[in-house]
Amino acid sequence: LQLKGDSSAALETLRALPGKDLSLAQRLRVAALFDELGETARAAEVLAEGEQSNATYAGRAAYLARLEQKDALRALYAELATPINLGSKVDDDRRFLLAQIAECLDDNEAALIWYRAITASTRGEPARLRIAVLLDRQSRLDDAISELREIQASHSDNGEWLRDAYLLEAEILLRNQRAEHALDAYRRGLTVFEDDPALLYGRALCHERLDQVEAALDDLKRLLSVDPDNPDILNSYGCTLADRTDRLDEARGYIEQALVLNPDSAAIMDSMGWVLHRQGHHDQALPYLETAWSLQKDAEVAAHLGEVLWALGRRAEAESVWREGEVLDADNRVLKRS
């Protein structure tokens, strides 16, 4: 019924199922279907009925977090953390779940305790990345970087985890306005993971942020040489050309290719509107930017839409959009230039 598109009949059928007679696996599936059909609260209720496992607890936590039901999430955390429920059932999956719930409740100290209690690598490796994030949130930047450097120096066979430690170091440094140090993290990562797409893409964005435009374009061009039909890379290359050079015809060509490959992308529509504006085609640019803004309320889109509205003489509307953008991200670099 769901696959046929008959959501109301699918919901009616699900609601008729006797919850007490369902197996654990069936309850997990029923809850997932309720969630897919827009009844996330009912999904959480289904999982709360009957036998509990790490899977049902994790599902309940995920649904409650999405619903932003903090009181119910606190109650679930208290239920999981009571000595009688911990007992012999404490394993790394349970510790990881408790840490995640603590994060959702903004209890970073408790989250750190649970993450640090994890022993096996399966959960321990992602836990160490989360520890670095939490240390940064506590304004302990040096400790966060130290944690990540220890990961990078380890002899783990998990290459993705090691690579992610470089990515996260750069991300944290950028968040702390240390772009030059972030660039060094990308460079160190690329000496170990040569031509890794995520590291190359991150370094390209970092180069652009430091006004090293040609270096940014070089990294993006390397990515395109391997994946020429990637709409996101095509868009990034074209947008960088449009925003930071006078090679507007070339920029438009790349953005048009990206738009053909992903016509519903707000980011690519934003780029298309921006390059048209820079070419002086303000009337043609406006529909793309209005659509991008309707799809994605983003400070950079607000900056571009405001610029075009201003160029068309609609100054009150431009100022209104810019104000909305400032509410979203007052520190956005593109918005500040508007």
Side-chain angles (χ1 to χ4, degrees):
L1 288 168
Q2 183 194 24
L3 291 171
K4 286 180 180 178
D6 195 345
S7 298
S8 58
L11 279 170
E12 185 180 345
T13 304
L14 279 178
R15 289 171 184 149
L17 285 170
K20 64 181 181 180
D21 295 330
L22 296 177
S23 69
L24 183 62
Q26 287 171 332
R27 276 193 295 125
L28 288 166
R29 180 64 185 135
V30 168
L33 284 166
F34 269 122
D35 181 50
E36 290 167 17
L37 291 163
E39 294 207 357
T40 303
R42 180 60 187 138
E45 291 169 4
V46 167
L47 293 184
E49 299 164 359
E51 179 190 356
Q52 295 298 299
S53 69
N54 283 336
T56 59
Y57 283 131
R60 288 168 63 186
Y63 295 142
L64 293 172
R66 285 225 310 275
L67 292 165
E68 297 184 357
Q69 293 186 3
K70 291 292 181 75
D71 289 341
L73 204 53
R74 278 189 201 91
L76 177 59
Y77 180 81
E79 178 185 339
L80 281 166
T82 55
I84 192 170
N85 275 338
L86 285 174
S88 61
K89 295 181 181 178
V90 182
D91 55 23
D92 283 345
D93 287 341
R94 181 67 58 86
R95 293 185 184 101
F96 196 86
L97 176 57
L98 282 161
Q100 288 182 306
I101 298 174
E103 278 200 68
C104 288
L105 296 172
D106 298 317
D107 190 346
N108 293 333
E109 278 299 333
L112 279 171
I113 290 169
W114 289 117
Y115 281 134
R116 283 179 169 143
I118 293 170
T119 55
S121 61
T122 304
R123 286 297 193 185
E125 289 175 347
R128 290 193 68 184
L129 294 176
R130 295 308 306 166
I131 287 169
V133 171
L134 292 172
L135 290 170
D136 176 51
R137 282 185 192 165
Q138 295 178 333
S139 300
R140 295 166 60 185
L141 176 60
D142 290 343
D143 290 337
I145 299 304
S146 178
E147 184 78 27
L148 293 168
R149 296 281 177 89
E150 283 185 21
I151 294 172
Q152 294 160 15
S154 71
H155 299 291
S156 171
D157 293 328
N158 188 342
E160 185 177 352
W161 178 57
L162 297 176
R163 188 278 314 269
D164 287 351
Y166 289 103
L167 288 170
L168 183 55
E169 179 184 351
E171 180 187 321
I172 287 173
L173 289 165
L174 284 169
R175 200 157 48 232
N176 285 275
Q177 310 302 316
R178 299 193 182 186
E180 286 283 4
H181 293 86
L183 189 60
D184 179 65
Y186 286 124
R187 285 174 178 152
R188 285 187 290 103
L190 284 162
T191 63
V192 181
F193 301 98
E194 188 176 356
D195 288 339
D196 177 83
L199 288 166
L200 267 178
Y201 189 73
R203 188 173 72 172
L205 298 184
C206 193
H207 276 308
E208 190 276 336
R209 183 165 177 165
L210 289 165
D211 297 322
Q212 298 169 3
V213 177
E214 287 306 317
L217 291 170
D218 285 345
D219 279 344
L220 292 170
K221 203 63 180 278
R222 283 171 68 184
L223 287 166
L224 282 175
S225 68
V226 176
D227 192 4
D229 294 323
N230 186 309
D232 295 327
I233 301 171
L234 285 165
N235 181 55
S236 292
Y237 191 80
C239 188
T240 303
L241 286 173
D243 202 39
R244 307 301 297 272
T245 77
D246 294 324
R247 295 153 59 185
L248 300 180
D249 291 342
E250 184 184 354
R252 182 170 170 178
Y254 282 101
I255 295 166
E256 285 174 341
Q257 288 181 62
L259 197 58
V260 169
L261 291 165
N262 190 359
D264 299 321
S265 167
I268 299 173
M269 288 184 191
D270 172 55
S271 297
M272 191 66 200
W274 185 242
V275 73
L276 287 167
H277 165 69
R278 289 218 59 210
Q279 289 181 315
H281 309 308
H282 311 308
D283 287 319
Q284 294 177 43
L286 186 61
Y288 285 105
L289 290 165
E290 287 178 329
T291 302
W293 181 240
S294 69
L295 291 172
Q296 180 177 312
K297 291 294 186 284
D298 177 89
E300 188 164 329
V301 178
H304 291 161
L305 177 57
E307 289 274 4
V308 171
L309 288 168
W310 189 273
L312 290 169
R314 296 160 60 174
R315 298 191 170 185
E317 292 173 74
E319 290 174 346
S320 175
V321 170
W322 284 330
R323 282 194 295 272
E324 287 187 65
E326 286 176 352
V327 171
L328 294 168
D329 182 5
D331 295 323
N332 184 273
R333 293 184 307 137
V334 178
L335 193 60
K336 282 183 173 180
R337 293 201 300 261
S338 298

